[in-house]
Amino acid sequence: MSPTRRLAELPCGRRSKWVVLALWLVLLVVAGPLAGKLTDVEDNQASSWLPGNAESTQVLDEQRAFQPVDTAQAVVVYVRDGGITPADKAEAVKDARAFASAPHVVGPVTGPVESADGQALQTIVSVDIGTGGWQDLRPAVDSLRATAAENSLGMTTHVTGPAGVGADQAEAFAGIDSTLLAATVAVVIVLLLLTYRSPVLWMLPLFSAAGALVVAQAVIYLLADHAGLTVNAQSAGILIVLVLGAGTDYALLLTARYREELRRHGDRHEAMAFALHRAGPAILASSATVVASMLCLLVAEMNSTSGLGPVCAIGVLVALVAMLTLLPALLVILGRWVFWPVKPAFGTPEPTRSGRWAHVGEWIAQRPRKVWVGTGLALAACCVGLVSLNATGLSTAGSFTGTPDSVVGQQALEAHFPAGTGAPLTVVSAAAESGAVREATRATPGIASTTEPTFHEGRALFRATLTDPPDSQAAKDTVDRLRTAVHAVPNADAQVGGSTAVILDAGRAATSDNRTVIPLVLGVVLVILALLLRAVTAPLVLIATVVLSYAAALGISAFFFEHVFHFEGQDNSFPLFVFVFLVALGIDYNIFLMTRVREEAVQQGTRRGAVAGLAATGGVITSAGLILASTFAVLGTLPVVGFAEIGFAVALGVLLDTLVVRSVLVTALTVDLDRHMWWPSALSGQVPPPEKELARQL
């Protein structure tokens, strides 16, 4: 026996299974406290999301020389439709003095300033972002809101600006880990109960997946704390969904093969050894595809995207180890009774041979070309919805599923003051040329006003207020014009940052990532499939079906986003995130199906092997797809449009992959291409059986 096979069979040895279980229990005891600290090392500061080489990021770095702490401006807005009264002004002045003692407030409080129409007041407060990112904004903003509302004298009060928006984003992400975990676990329990129809069996995959999540979070915490790995709320939330979803997928595949082998072997240890030997390569290849796809994100310009790659890769690797060690040990220790009330007795017939998917395979085999052409045309028709895709970024208001106070406050601010108030641009330059830079800034269309510059070690910094809302396209165009103007000032080395510049740079970096990462992922997946299937034709066909499925999912999603949910658009990173998750996870089902088809094709030819492979894996692929789709749909429980859109599109794409692409389209193409599917391997030279013999055996 080879060392590799001996290692693979450790979880199902008569003694070694207990060692594996003991090791995992010790690991969970150690990892538990560390996993609970993951939120402590999350970095939700702007620099952890932005591209490192962007001009706005460089301005953020340089800005620290002018102020010892990172700050965000909170704008307190008072509105009285009948006009601000002297008593209102007095109350706002009193509030301004109180704001200075609010948590994390630094520097002087500016205002209150009355609007030109006399119906509003604004007070600007600087809030220390600290090391906790937006989490440190919440106490300050909550205090400002409470103070402003306490004695408002009938005025409407709001807190907006970058600090107000950041605090509302923190509120939206508050409890993300516990919310996603609870919702995902509930979904997995229900679907596992429906899949296994056993009151006991569902606990084992869930326990193994949950154990994998704890260990993955502990590993990521250690890397973030000691090795500089960047983790933010986005990657921490997706980690939960991915580990539980992918881990449960691997568990379903292994358990299904184990149940099949229990009918062929009287000894459960031997049955698990065969199950690991047969299903292990598919699970390994599947996880390798997901890990490789996630690591492709490392080349992304956006720090938030590149940081997501290793976080998800670690999660999938730990899930793989858990499903190939902990789960087999638990299944073998507990024996056949865990399948009660339908225990797979030795010598009983395998029900999948004559089940629903066997009949579907027989139907496809009679008319494969009509099936794949019709299915392909239907999916192509779904792609028409791509004309509605608007992945150009979301405004502040459009990024929330509801209407938080900062959004209402921004609308009030825009109605009574220059729209860019509270979110000014930041311009830094050489001190000697600051006058010329400031003149160029004031002369730029779209700039309402500028502040006096401050100086530090030969550099100057001043602010510029926009005439347009800071998250509007007009404001982004102003940033481009301003950058052109100040870059043209000789020897100024001027740069433009600020919240609008951040939005602009992030959008462009995300668009660049789409063009770079998507082809890279396709290339990596193609190579893995070619090595696994030892063919060229099959990987090309499978990649084509994946791309078609992805485009169809995006088309349908775009239609729903615009006409059903009425979202204003999609985040710039939306196409990339959906692509990576759909391709990496959709390829899982290709691998599950095609490795079994190839195994069967060696014995009975490709056409019969395709039908037998679908019969054996159709049920488990369907169950896995439903669970994975449901776990991603849980992202829609968060009040954040970006998460809701990713969850909807990935869930829809997984269902398309499961119910249509893998089970129908790929099977029909395999039957139609027959042995040519395996070109140039030796299997492509296998002579197909006569049609009459095929029909008789089907």
Side-chain angles (χ1 to χ4, degrees), residues 162-196:
V165 173
D168 286 337
Q169 288 174 331
E171 180 68 26
F173 280 93
I176 179 175
D177 293 349
S178 58
T179 300
L180 283 179
L181 182 60
T184 305
V185 167
V187 166
V188 170
I189 289 175
V190 171
L191 291 176
L192 285 176
L193 280 169
L194 294 175
T195 299
Y196 290 135

Side-chain angles (χ1 to χ4, degrees), residues 1 5 8-13 254 258 261 265 267-280 328 332:
M1 182 184 296
R5 184 169 179 179
E9 293 179 1
L10 276 176
C12 53
L254 178 63
Y258 173 55
E261 296 297 336
H265 302 275
D267 183 83
R268 65 181 186 275
H269 302 85
E270 185 179 348
M272 179 57 77
F274 271 88
L276 284 169
H277 178 65
R278 295 296 188 183
V332 174

Side-chain angles (χ1 to χ4, degrees), residues 153-168:
L153 304 177
M155 292 184 291
T156 302
T157 63
H158 308 282
V159 177
T160 185
V165 173
D168 286 337

Side-chain angles (χ1 to χ4, degrees), residues 96-119:
R97 290 195 294 266
F99 293 157
S101 60
H104 304 295
V105 169
V106 294
V109 174
T110 305
V113 176
E114 188 172 353
S115 63
D117 62 10
Q119 296 183 354

Side-chain angles (χ1 to χ4, degrees), residues 535-572:
V536 172
T537 304
L540 290 173
V541 169
L542 297 179
I543 286 292
T545 64
V546 164
V547 173
L548 179 59
S549 175
Y550 165 72
L554 278 194
I556 298 173
S557 298
F559 175 85
F560 272 82
F561 294 158
E562 181 177 3
H563 300 289
V564 178
F565 302 126
H566 304 295
F567 295 149
E568 73 171 30
Q570 293 79 49
D571 186 76
N572 303 82

Side-chain angles (χ1 to χ4, degrees), residues 148-320:
E150 185 176 2
N151 297 304
S152 59
L153 304 177
M155 292 184 291
T156 302
T157 63
H158 308 282
V159 177
T160 185
V165 173
D168 286 337
Q169 288 174 331
E171 180 68 26
F173 280 93
I176 179 175
D177 293 349
S178 58
T179 300
L180 283 179
L181 182 60
T184 305
V185 167
V187 166
V188 170
I189 289 175
V190 171
L191 291 176
L192 285 176
L193 280 169
L194 294 175
T195 299
Y196 290 135
R197 296 169 190 162
S198 166
V200 179
L201 183 58
W202 64 271
M203 298 181 187
L204 304 188
L206 182 60
F207 176 76
S208 301
L213 177 60
V214 170
V215 174
Q217 289 176 326
V219 171
I220 292 167
Y221 163 75
L222 291 173
L223 291 175
D225 196 35
H226 301 290
L229 177 66
T230 299
V231 186
N232 54 36
Q234 173 182 269
S235 55
I238 291 177
L239 174 71
I240 295 171
V241 172
L242 184 62
V243 171
L244 292 180
T248 306
D249 269 10
Y250 302 152
L252 286 171
L253 182 66
L254 178 63
T255 305
R257 192 58 187 255
Y258 173 55
R259 181 163 48 186
E260 187 177 331
E261 296 297 336
L262 283 173
R263 301 180 189 278
R264 299 172 181 167
H265 302 275
D267 183 83
R268 65 181 186 275
H269 302 85
E270 185 179 348
M272 179 57 77
F274 271 88
L276 284 169
H277 178 65
R278 295 296 188 183
I283 296 174
L284 282 169
S286 170
S287 63
T289 304
V290 179
V291 169
S293 299
M294 295 304 165
L295 292 180
C296 288
L297 294 177
L298 286 170
V299 305
E301 293 181 31
M302 288 288 290
N303 286 342
S304 57
T305 302
S306 61
L308 178 66
V311 169
C312 290
I314 291 168
V316 172
L317 281 175
V318 176
L320 167 71

Side-chain angles (χ1 to χ4, degrees), residues 113-127:
V113 176
E114 188 172 353
S115 63
D117 62 10
Q119 296 183 354
L121 298 168
Q122 67 162 334
T123 301
I124 299 177
V125 184
S126 294
V127 181

